[in-house]
Amino acid sequence: MNSWDAGLAGLLVGTMGVSLLSNALVLLCLLHSADIRRQAPALFTLNLTCGNLLCTVVNMPLTLAGVVAQRQPAGDRLCRLAAFLDTFLAANSMLSMAALSIDRWVAVVFPLSYRAKMRLRDAALMVAYTWLHALAFPAAAVVLSWLGFHQLYASCTLCSRRPDERLRFAVFTGAFHALSFLLSFVVLCSTYFKVLKVARSHCRRIDVITMQTLVLLVDIHPSVRERCLEEQKRRRQRATKKISTFIGTFLVCFAPYVITRLVELSSAVPISSHWGVLSKCLAYSKAASDPFVYSLLRHQYRKSCKEILNRVLHRRSLRSSGLTGDSHSQNILPASE
């Protein structure tokens, strides 16, 4: 194994560790907080988190074994099962992000009717559609025998070894990425740009009120005025940064792999195996970044994490105080005898 392979293996191990810990923490927050579970986005987050964990414990280790061994890491049946999961989980992850963007759009554009438009039942129907949509392509690939080990990506995924099926497989691959990656990207852009438009209009209204207040308060201290103007600037940038993060992480993680899969269909462009594995690692890194982008950096999840940590520390302090009390009583008893 050369230095490139060692570096890719290290990247996979790091991605697996971060993904496992962060997604497990999101699940703990969902189990701990009833307030989070009562909200419709919790179903989308739960669906995304469970998919990320399944990818972390099944697909990533097999890809790591493929990178290290430079061959198929498991038997044909297990590899086909992993390829089925890889295809399903990739589409499910993308569509779950699209569902989360639709939820944000409804919450921001229709704030007064949000609870009526986005109930738990509606969220469950969206998750059910996501599953059916994501299951359609791997199910078709099973029938067509297009699942197996792909040497370019050192992983079990969509592949076809028969030259006479090249055109059919190219159409299938293009349709899969168009109805998963491209569709989700269009939904993300359309919903988040509408959210950004509403957020900027709200910022403009607040800015007008702020400037009118500053004009009326003639005796206000210059430092207070500067802080108000700085907060005004940060308010304008906050929504843009969040939306850029949502769309940016989606593109950075998935676009290289999708483009590589499409370019691979053309034999005129040779693709390095190192780049193929790296693009697959970038797609896997979405499972590690999702908990931070969509969950752990939000106020409710941070609050839940603090409560879990305080509960663990409180139990440890009670246990240590109990052990100290027991040892103290044991030391007293011989002396009294």
Side-chain angles (χ1 to χ4, degrees):
M1 187 169 62
N2 56 31
S3 58
W4 258 100
D5 293 331
L8 292 171
L11 179 61
L12 270 170
V13 171
T15 303
M16 288 168 56
V18 175
S19 177
L20 189 62
L21 292 174
S22 57
N23 284 286
L25 185 56
V26 172
L27 277 183
L28 284 176
C29 292
L30 286 169
L31 291 172
H32 176 265
S33 176
D35 292 335
I36 296 176
R37 291 197 304 271
R38 279 195 291 266
Q39 299 174 0
L43 282 178
F44 305 136
T45 304
L46 179 63
N47 183 40
L48 184 62
T49 302
C50 291
N52 289 339
L53 282 173
L54 194 57
C55 178
T56 304
V57 299
V58 176
N59 294 100
M60 292 188 197
L62 287 175
T63 301
L64 176 62
V67 171
V68 174
Q70 296 294 311
R71 58 183 175 82
Q72 183 172 318
D76 290 338
R77 288 186 179 180
L78 181 58
C79 194
R80 284 196 293 269
L81 175 61
F84 183 94
L85 282 176
D86 180 77
T87 309
F88 165 71
L89 293 175
N92 180 61
S93 176
M94 296 178 192
L95 294 171
S96 295
M97 286 175 249
L100 283 166
S101 71
I102 293 173
D103 174 77
R104 288 297 86 204
W105 170 67
V106 175
V108 173
V109 179
F110 309 102
L112 298 179
S113 58
Y114 171 73
R115 292 187 180 276
K117 291 179 180 292
M118 190 60 70
R119 295 165 295 181
L120 285 174
R121 185 183 66 182
D122 301 320
L125 288 174
M126 292 177 69
V127 171
Y129 169 77
T130 298
W131 274 60
L132 290 174
H133 188 134
L135 280 169
F137 284 95
V142 169
V143 175
L144 297 169
S145 300
W146 285 345
L147 298 174
F149 181 73
H150 202 308
Q151 189 66 47
L152 179 62
Y153 308 101
S155 60
C156 300
T157 184
L158 285 174
C159 66
S160 175
R161 296 183 177 88
R162 294 177 58 181
D164 58 323
E165 294 181 339
R166 187 176 185 85
L167 180 59
R168 290 171 58 200
F169 182 72
V171 172
F172 178 84
T173 304
F176 169 67
H177 291 301
L179 293 175
S180 56
F181 173 78
L182 185 60
L183 175 64
S184 301
F185 179 65
V186 170
V187 172
L188 283 170
C189 290
S190 60
T191 52
Y192 281 132
F193 285 156
K194 290 177 181 178
V195 169
L196 182 61
K197 183 179 179 181
V198 173
R200 284 181 173 175
S201 67
H202 290 172
C203 285
R204 282 195 294 268
R205 294 173 187 171
I206 297 172
D207 291 345
V208 171
I209 297 172
T210 303
M211 295 305 297
Q212 290 175 349
T213 305
L214 292 176
V215 170
L216 293 174
L217 297 175
V218 180
D219 297 333
I220 192 172
H221 195 274
S223 62
V224 177
R225 185 186 297 270
E226 289 178 4
R227 283 199 299 270
C228 291
L229 294 175
E230 289 175 2
E231 178 61 28
Q232 186 179 7
K233 184 179 179 181
R234 283 196 296 268
R235 194 185 304 113
R236 286 197 297 265
Q237 296 175 347
R238 195 175 297 132
T240 305
K241 286 181 179 179
K242 287 183 178 180
I243 291 171
S244 299
T245 301
F246 293 147
I247 298 177
T249 53
F250 181 87
L251 281 178
V252 169
C253 293
F254 286 128
Y257 178 68
V258 172
I259 293 172
T260 304
R261 295 286 331 217
L262 296 176
V263 171
E264 176 204 347
L265 300 173
S266 171
S267 58
V269 182
I271 301 174
S272 168
S273 60
H274 293 142
W275 169 252
V277 177
L278 179 61
S279 66
K280 191 66 177 175
C281 291
L282 286 174
Y284 284 151
S285 68
K286 195 71 176 71
S289 64
D290 283 342
F292 301 99
V293 174
Y294 291 100
S295 304
L296 296 178
L297 296 180
R298 293 177 57 191
H299 172 71
Q300 284 183 314
Y301 285 87
R302 292 203 308 268
K303 180 182 176 183
S304 182
C305 288
K306 290 179 181 177
E307 291 175 356
I308 293 171
L309 182 61
N310 290 333
R311 181 174 295 183
V312 171
L313 293 176
H314 182 64
R315 286 181 179 177
R316 285 185 178 180
S317 63
L318 288 177
R319 189 178 302 171
S320 61
S321 63
L323 291 174
T324 304
D326 291 341
S327 62
H328 183 65
S329 61
Q330 289 175 1
N331 291 332
I332 292 175
L333 282 174
S336 62
E337 291 177 356

